[in-house]
Amino acid sequence: MSAALIDGKAVAASLRERIADDVADFAASAGRVPGLAVVLVGDDAASAVYVRNKAAACAAAGIAGHEHRLPADTSEEALLAVVLGLNADPSVDGILVQLPLPPQIDASRILAAISADKDVDGFHATNAGRLATGLPGFVPCTPLGCLHLIRSVGPDLRGAEAVVIGRSNIVGKPMAALLLGADCTVTIAHSRTRDLPEVARRADILVAAVGRPEMVRGDWVKPGAIVIDVGINRIASTPGRTKLVGDVHFAEASAVARAITPVPGGVGPMTIAMLLANTLEAARRHAGLA
Ligand SMILES: Nc1nc(=O)c2c([nH]1)NC[C@@H]1CN(c3ccc(C(=O)N[C@@H](CCC(=O)O)C(=O)O)cc3)C=[N+]21
Protein backbone atom coordinates (compact mmCIF):
# COMPACT_ATOMS: atom_id res chain seq x y z
CA MET A 1 0.00 0.00 0.00
CA SER A 2 1.35 3.42 -0.93
CA ALA A 3 -1.62 5.63 -0.09
CA ALA A 4 -1.82 7.55 3.16
CA LEU A 5 -4.68 6.34 5.33
CA ILE A 6 -7.24 9.05 6.10
CA ASP A 7 -8.12 8.25 9.70
CA GLY A 8 -11.74 9.35 9.99
CA LYS A 9 -12.01 7.97 13.48
CA ALA A 10 -9.15 10.19 14.69
CA VAL A 11 -10.35 13.30 12.81
CA ALA A 12 -13.85 12.74 14.20
CA ALA A 13 -12.53 12.29 17.73
CA SER A 14 -10.68 15.60 17.68
CA LEU A 15 -13.71 17.36 16.17
CA ARG A 16 -15.91 15.89 18.87
CA GLU A 17 -13.61 17.23 21.57
CA ARG A 18 -13.85 20.69 20.08
CA ILE A 19 -17.63 20.39 19.78
CA ALA A 20 -17.85 19.36 23.44
CA ASP A 21 -15.95 22.52 24.43
CA ASP A 22 -18.22 24.64 22.25
CA VAL A 23 -21.31 22.95 23.71
CA ALA A 24 -20.10 23.89 27.19
CA ASP A 25 -19.65 27.52 26.07
CA PHE A 26 -23.12 27.47 24.52
CA ALA A 27 -24.66 26.10 27.71
CA ALA A 28 -22.94 28.81 29.77
CA SER A 29 -24.36 31.56 27.54
CA ALA A 30 -27.78 30.10 26.79
CA GLY A 31 -28.52 28.54 30.16
CA ARG A 32 -29.49 25.25 28.57
CA VAL A 33 -27.87 22.41 26.63
CA PRO A 34 -28.53 21.66 22.94
CA GLY A 35 -31.09 18.89 22.33
CA LEU A 36 -31.21 16.28 19.56
CA ALA A 37 -34.27 14.09 19.02
CA VAL A 38 -33.65 10.81 17.20
CA VAL A 39 -36.72 8.95 15.98
CA LEU A 40 -36.42 5.27 15.13
CA VAL A 41 -39.38 3.40 13.62
CA GLY A 42 -39.18 -0.39 13.76
CA ASP A 43 -36.38 -2.63 14.89
CA ASP A 44 -33.90 -2.85 12.00
CA ALA A 45 -30.70 -4.11 13.65
CA ALA A 46 -28.28 -1.81 11.79
CA SER A 47 -30.47 1.24 12.49
CA ALA A 48 -30.58 0.34 16.18
CA VAL A 49 -26.75 0.29 16.26
CA TYR A 50 -26.51 3.73 14.60
CA VAL A 51 -29.09 5.19 16.96
CA ARG A 52 -27.20 3.82 19.96
CA ASN A 53 -23.94 5.31 18.65
CA LYS A 54 -25.63 8.68 18.14
CA ALA A 55 -26.99 8.64 21.68
CA ALA A 56 -23.54 7.88 23.12
CA ALA A 57 -21.93 10.61 20.99
CA CYS A 58 -24.52 13.16 22.18
CA ALA A 59 -23.92 12.26 25.81
CA ALA A 60 -20.14 12.57 25.42
CA ALA A 61 -20.53 16.01 23.82
CA GLY A 62 -22.94 17.31 26.47
CA ILE A 63 -25.92 17.32 24.09
CA ALA A 64 -29.24 16.05 25.45
CA GLY A 65 -30.40 13.09 23.36
CA HIS A 66 -34.14 12.47 23.17
CA GLU A 67 -34.76 9.00 21.77
CA HIS A 68 -38.17 8.05 20.34
CA ARG A 69 -38.66 4.40 19.47
CA LEU A 70 -41.86 3.59 17.63
CA PRO A 71 -43.16 0.16 16.57
CA ALA A 72 -42.62 -1.07 13.00
CA ASP A 73 -46.37 -0.78 12.25
CA THR A 74 -46.54 2.92 13.17
CA SER A 75 -48.80 4.83 10.77
CA GLU A 76 -47.65 7.82 8.75
CA GLU A 77 -50.11 10.02 10.66
CA ALA A 78 -48.75 8.87 14.02
CA LEU A 79 -45.16 9.55 12.99
CA LEU A 80 -46.21 12.92 11.60
CA ALA A 81 -47.74 13.76 14.98
CA VAL A 82 -44.45 12.88 16.72
CA VAL A 83 -42.51 15.13 14.33
CA LEU A 84 -44.92 18.04 14.83
CA GLY A 85 -44.57 17.64 18.59
CA LEU A 86 -40.77 17.81 18.29
CA ASN A 87 -41.02 20.87 16.02
CA ALA A 88 -42.93 22.63 18.80
CA ASP A 89 -40.65 21.49 21.66
CA PRO A 90 -38.20 24.30 22.57
CA SER A 91 -35.79 21.85 24.24
CA VAL A 92 -35.31 20.11 20.87
CA ASP A 93 -32.87 21.89 18.50
CA GLY A 94 -32.33 19.05 16.04
CA ILE A 95 -34.60 16.31 14.73
CA LEU A 96 -33.37 13.17 12.98
CA VAL A 97 -35.82 10.58 11.70
CA GLN A 98 -33.74 7.50 11.01
CA LEU A 99 -34.02 6.20 7.45
CA PRO A 100 -35.10 3.88 5.92
CA LEU A 101 -38.71 4.06 7.15
CA PRO A 102 -41.16 1.12 6.92
CA PRO A 103 -43.04 0.83 3.58
CA GLN A 104 -46.39 2.16 4.88
CA ILE A 105 -44.73 5.53 5.54
CA ASP A 106 -43.93 8.05 2.80
CA ALA A 107 -40.48 9.26 3.87
CA SER A 108 -40.64 12.40 1.73
CA ARG A 109 -43.80 13.52 3.54
CA ILE A 110 -42.12 13.02 6.92
CA LEU A 111 -38.93 14.84 5.91
CA ALA A 112 -41.00 17.73 4.57
CA ALA A 113 -42.76 18.03 7.93
CA ILE A 114 -39.55 18.50 9.93
CA SER A 115 -38.94 22.18 10.63
CA ALA A 116 -36.14 23.24 8.24
CA ASP A 117 -34.44 24.99 11.16
CA LYS A 118 -34.31 21.73 13.15
CA ASP A 119 -33.36 19.60 10.13
CA VAL A 120 -29.84 18.67 11.27
CA ASP A 121 -29.76 15.87 8.66
CA GLY A 122 -30.09 18.52 5.93
CA PHE A 123 -32.65 16.37 4.09
CA HIS A 124 -35.49 18.95 3.89
CA ALA A 125 -35.98 20.42 0.41
CA THR A 126 -35.46 23.88 1.88
CA ASN A 127 -31.98 22.93 3.07
CA ALA A 128 -31.19 21.12 -0.20
CA GLY A 129 -32.18 24.33 -1.99
CA ARG A 130 -30.09 26.47 0.33
CA LEU A 131 -27.06 24.26 -0.35
CA ALA A 132 -27.69 24.32 -4.09
CA THR A 133 -27.91 28.11 -4.12
CA GLY A 134 -25.09 28.81 -1.66
CA LEU A 135 -27.26 30.04 1.21
CA PRO A 136 -26.55 29.13 4.83
CA GLY A 137 -28.52 26.08 5.97
CA PHE A 138 -27.96 22.56 7.18
CA VAL A 139 -25.72 20.37 5.04
CA PRO A 140 -26.17 16.55 5.14
CA CYS A 141 -23.74 15.04 7.64
CA THR A 142 -22.08 12.39 5.47
CA PRO A 143 -20.98 14.63 2.58
CA LEU A 144 -20.00 17.37 5.04
CA GLY A 145 -17.79 14.84 6.83
CA CYS A 146 -16.31 13.75 3.49
CA LEU A 147 -15.40 17.36 2.67
CA HIS A 148 -13.58 17.66 6.01
CA LEU A 149 -11.62 14.50 5.25
CA ILE A 150 -10.75 15.70 1.73
CA ARG A 151 -9.55 19.04 3.12
CA SER A 152 -7.45 17.23 5.76
CA VAL A 153 -5.22 15.90 2.95
CA GLY A 154 -5.78 18.36 0.10
CA PRO A 155 -6.80 21.77 1.36
CA ASP A 156 -6.69 23.55 -2.00
CA LEU A 157 -9.43 22.06 -4.13
CA ARG A 158 -9.66 24.85 -6.69
CA GLY A 159 -9.81 23.49 -10.21
CA ALA A 160 -9.50 19.86 -9.11
CA GLU A 161 -11.41 17.19 -11.03
CA ALA A 162 -13.91 15.61 -8.65
CA VAL A 163 -16.00 12.58 -9.57
CA VAL A 164 -18.85 11.50 -7.30
CA ILE A 165 -20.21 8.03 -8.02
CA GLY A 166 -23.80 7.96 -6.77
CA ARG A 167 -26.62 10.47 -7.12
CA SER A 168 -28.66 10.05 -3.93
CA ASN A 169 -30.25 13.05 -2.24
CA ILE A 170 -28.47 12.22 1.02
CA VAL A 171 -24.91 11.76 -0.27
CA GLY A 172 -24.18 12.11 -4.01
CA LYS A 173 -26.06 15.30 -4.84
CA PRO A 174 -25.05 17.29 -1.74
CA MET A 175 -21.46 16.01 -2.08
CA ALA A 176 -21.37 17.38 -5.61
CA ALA A 177 -22.76 20.72 -4.43
CA LEU A 178 -20.09 21.01 -1.73
CA LEU A 179 -17.28 20.17 -4.13
CA LEU A 180 -18.64 22.67 -6.63
CA GLY A 181 -18.71 25.23 -3.85
CA ALA A 182 -15.03 24.45 -3.25
CA ASP A 183 -14.34 25.28 -6.93
CA CYS A 184 -13.83 21.70 -8.11
CA THR A 185 -14.86 20.60 -11.59
CA VAL A 186 -17.55 18.10 -10.65
CA THR A 187 -18.91 15.05 -12.42
CA ILE A 188 -21.77 13.03 -10.94
CA ALA A 189 -21.58 9.47 -12.23
CA HIS A 190 -24.06 6.66 -11.54
CA SER A 191 -25.21 3.21 -12.59
CA ARG A 192 -26.15 4.40 -16.09
CA THR A 193 -22.91 6.26 -16.73
CA ARG A 194 -21.15 5.02 -19.84
CA ASP A 195 -17.52 3.92 -19.36
CA LEU A 196 -17.69 4.43 -15.61
CA PRO A 197 -14.10 3.26 -14.97
CA GLU A 198 -12.83 5.78 -17.48
CA VAL A 199 -14.86 8.61 -15.94
CA ALA A 200 -13.63 7.64 -12.47
CA ARG A 201 -10.02 7.67 -13.69
CA ARG A 202 -10.33 11.40 -14.44
CA ALA A 203 -10.75 12.15 -10.75
CA ASP A 204 -8.24 13.92 -8.54
CA ILE A 205 -10.92 13.43 -5.88
CA LEU A 206 -13.02 10.29 -6.18
CA VAL A 207 -16.03 9.82 -3.90
CA ALA A 208 -17.78 6.44 -4.04
CA ALA A 209 -21.34 6.36 -2.69
CA VAL A 210 -23.17 3.64 -4.57
CA GLY A 211 -23.76 0.86 -2.06
CA ARG A 212 -22.08 -1.84 -4.16
CA PRO A 213 -19.36 -3.73 -2.27
CA GLU A 214 -15.86 -3.14 -3.66
CA MET A 215 -17.15 -1.90 -7.02
CA VAL A 216 -14.36 0.65 -7.53
CA ARG A 217 -11.28 -1.31 -8.57
CA GLY A 218 -7.66 -0.26 -8.60
CA ASP A 219 -7.65 0.54 -12.31
CA TRP A 220 -10.53 3.02 -11.79
CA VAL A 221 -8.25 5.21 -9.69
CA LYS A 222 -5.97 7.89 -11.09
CA PRO A 223 -2.49 7.62 -9.61
CA GLY A 224 -2.21 10.17 -6.81
CA ALA A 225 -5.97 10.61 -6.35
CA ILE A 226 -7.76 11.17 -3.04
CA VAL A 227 -10.32 8.37 -2.60
CA ILE A 228 -13.29 8.73 -0.22
CA ASP A 229 -15.30 5.58 0.38
CA VAL A 230 -18.83 6.24 1.64
CA GLY A 231 -20.00 2.63 1.30
CA ILE A 232 -20.78 0.48 4.31
CA ASN A 233 -21.60 -3.02 3.07
CA ARG A 234 -21.80 -6.09 5.27
CA ILE A 235 -20.66 -9.13 3.30
CA ALA A 236 -19.89 -12.77 4.12
CA SER A 237 -16.26 -13.42 4.96
CA THR A 238 -15.05 -16.69 6.45
CA PRO A 239 -17.89 -19.23 6.92
CA GLY A 240 -20.38 -18.02 9.49
CA ARG A 241 -18.79 -14.57 9.75
CA THR A 242 -19.41 -11.20 8.12
CA LYS A 243 -17.27 -8.14 7.60
CA LEU A 244 -17.74 -4.53 6.57
CA VAL A 245 -16.38 -3.38 3.23
CA GLY A 246 -16.79 -0.15 1.34
CA ASP A 247 -17.72 0.61 -2.26
CA VAL A 248 -13.98 0.68 -3.06
CA HIS A 249 -11.69 -2.34 -3.37
CA PHE A 250 -9.39 -1.07 -0.66
CA ALA A 251 -6.31 -3.20 -1.32
CA GLU A 252 -6.25 -2.38 -5.03
CA ALA A 253 -7.13 1.30 -4.72
CA SER A 254 -4.67 1.99 -1.93
CA ALA A 255 -1.84 0.82 -4.19
CA VAL A 256 -2.66 3.64 -6.61
CA ALA A 257 -4.19 6.49 -4.59
CA ARG A 258 -2.37 9.23 -2.69
CA ALA A 259 -4.79 9.04 0.23
CA ILE A 260 -7.79 6.84 0.99
CA THR A 261 -10.42 6.34 3.70
CA PRO A 262 -10.84 2.90 5.27
CA VAL A 263 -14.15 1.16 6.06
CA PRO A 264 -14.84 1.07 8.93
CA GLY A 265 -13.06 4.02 10.51
CA GLY A 266 -13.36 6.48 7.64
CA VAL A 267 -16.50 8.36 6.67
CA GLY A 268 -18.86 6.71 9.22
CA PRO A 269 -17.41 8.31 12.34
CA MET A 270 -17.37 11.71 10.59
CA THR A 271 -21.11 11.46 9.92
CA ILE A 272 -21.80 11.35 13.64
CA ALA A 273 -19.36 14.18 14.39
CA MET A 274 -21.11 16.37 11.79
CA LEU A 275 -24.49 15.56 13.31
CA LEU A 276 -23.25 16.93 16.63
CA ALA A 277 -21.83 20.01 14.90
CA ASN A 278 -25.13 20.64 13.10
CA THR A 279 -27.07 20.21 16.35
CA LEU A 280 -24.88 22.76 18.12
CA GLU A 281 -25.30 25.13 15.19
CA ALA A 282 -29.10 24.69 15.34
CA ALA A 283 -29.06 25.44 19.06
CA ARG A 284 -27.01 28.60 18.53
CA ARG A 285 -29.45 29.84 15.91
CA HIS A 286 -32.46 29.07 18.09
CA ALA A 287 -30.85 30.93 20.98
CA GLY A 288 -29.90 33.89 18.80
CA LEU A 289 -26.19 33.15 19.38
CA ALA A 290 -25.22 32.19 15.81
N1 LIG B 1 -31.89 10.21 9.02
C1 LIG B 1 -30.76 9.51 8.92
N2 LIG B 1 -29.57 10.14 9.06
C2 LIG B 1 -28.40 9.44 8.98
O1 LIG B 1 -27.30 10.04 9.11
C3 LIG B 1 -28.45 8.03 8.74
C4 LIG B 1 -29.72 7.44 8.59
N3 LIG B 1 -30.84 8.20 8.66
N4 LIG B 1 -29.82 6.11 8.36
C5 LIG B 1 -28.66 5.25 8.35
C6 LIG B 1 -27.43 5.99 7.90
C7 LIG B 1 -26.13 5.32 8.21
N5 LIG B 1 -25.42 6.21 9.09
C8 LIG B 1 -24.18 5.91 9.67
C9 LIG B 1 -23.61 6.70 10.64
C10 LIG B 1 -22.41 6.35 11.24
C11 LIG B 1 -21.75 5.19 10.89
C12 LIG B 1 -20.51 4.79 11.57
O2 LIG B 1 -20.05 5.44 12.49
N6 LIG B 1 -19.88 3.70 11.15
C13 LIG B 1 -18.66 3.20 11.76
C14 LIG B 1 -18.87 1.80 12.34
C15 LIG B 1 -19.62 0.87 11.44
C16 LIG B 1 -20.05 -0.43 12.12
O3 LIG B 1 -19.22 -1.06 12.81
O4 LIG B 1 -21.21 -0.84 11.91
C17 LIG B 1 -17.51 3.22 10.77
O5 LIG B 1 -17.78 3.32 9.56
O6 LIG B 1 -16.37 3.14 11.19
C18 LIG B 1 -22.32 4.40 9.91
C19 LIG B 1 -23.50 4.77 9.31
C20 LIG B 1 -26.17 7.32 9.31
N7 LIG B 1 -27.33 7.25 8.65
Side-chain angles (χ1 to χ4, degrees):
M1 152 161 184
S2 66
L5 200 69
I6 306 174
D7 187 346
K9 209 171 160 180
V11 176
S14 80
L15 275 167
R16 283 170 56 173
E17 275 182 35
R18 215 172 67 208
I19 293 165
D21 288 344
D22 292 349
V23 166
D25 289 346
F26 170 84
S29 319
R32 66 178 185 89
V33 297
L36 173 66
V38 175
V39 183
L40 176 60
V41 184
D43 39 24
D44 177 68
S47 287
V49 172
Y50 298 141
V51 169
R52 227 179 8 256
N53 290 346
K54 285 165 189 164
C58 280
I63 293 172
H66 310 254
E67 208 173 300
H68 296 260
R69 285 170 179 269
L70 305 174
D73 63 357
T74 298
S75 70
E76 190 173 296
E77 296 309 319
L79 178 56
L80 215 44
V82 169
V83 167
L84 297 183
L86 295 170
N87 281 348
D89 182 342
S91 72
V92 170
D93 296 293
I95 302 170
L96 180 152
V97 177
Q98 180 81 12
L99 300 178
L101 287 167
Q104 75 275 14
I105 297 175
D106 176 359
S108 66
R109 200 165 158 234
I110 299 302
L111 297 182
I114 296 173
S115 162
D117 300 320
K118 295 191 176 188
D119 170 37
V120 288
D121 259 332
F123 293 169
H124 193 287
T126 295
N127 284 314
R130 287 169 175 161
L131 175 60
T133 53
L135 293 171
F138 291 109
V139 176
C141 301
T142 296
L144 191 56
C146 291
L147 185 67
H148 269 273
L149 293 179
I150 293 164
R151 286 199 188 283
S152 75
V153 287
D156 190 3
L157 305 178
R158 280 176 298 177
E161 287 280 348
V163 176
V164 179
I165 310 178
R167 55 175 155 178
S168 71
N169 290 333
I170 65 179
V171 182
K173 286 179 199 166
M175 185 78 253
L178 286 171
L179 290 164
L180 192 59
D183 295 328
C184 292
T185 301
V186 182
T187 301
I188 305 179
H190 46 78
S191 56
R192 298 282 167 83
T193 295
R194 248 180 276 143
D195 300 323
L196 184 53
E198 197 173 297
V199 172
R201 260 194 306 276
R202 294 207 293 255
D204 302 310
I205 298 157
L206 182 61
V207 180
V210 270
R212 300 251 318 251
E214 300 180 321
M215 185 175 82
V216 175
R217 308 301 299 251
D219 64 356
W220 295 32
V221 176
K222 178 178 175 174
I226 297 169
V227 177
I228 304 293
D229 190 350
V230 181
I232 298 184
N233 310 289
R234 192 166 283 286
I235 64 167
S237 60
T238 53
R241 290 182 151 262
T242 64
K243 64 171 181 173
L244 286 186
V245 299
D247 293 345
V248 176
H249 193 297
F250 183 83
E252 290 182 9
S254 59
V256 186
R258 176 161 73 79
I260 186 169
T261 60
V263 176
V267 171
M270 291 297 289
T271 299
I272 292 184
M274 294 300 106
L275 178 65
L276 303 177
N278 280 352
T279 301
L280 172 59
E281 181 58 24
R284 283 181 176 142
R285 289 181 198 167
H286 294 147
L289 295 169

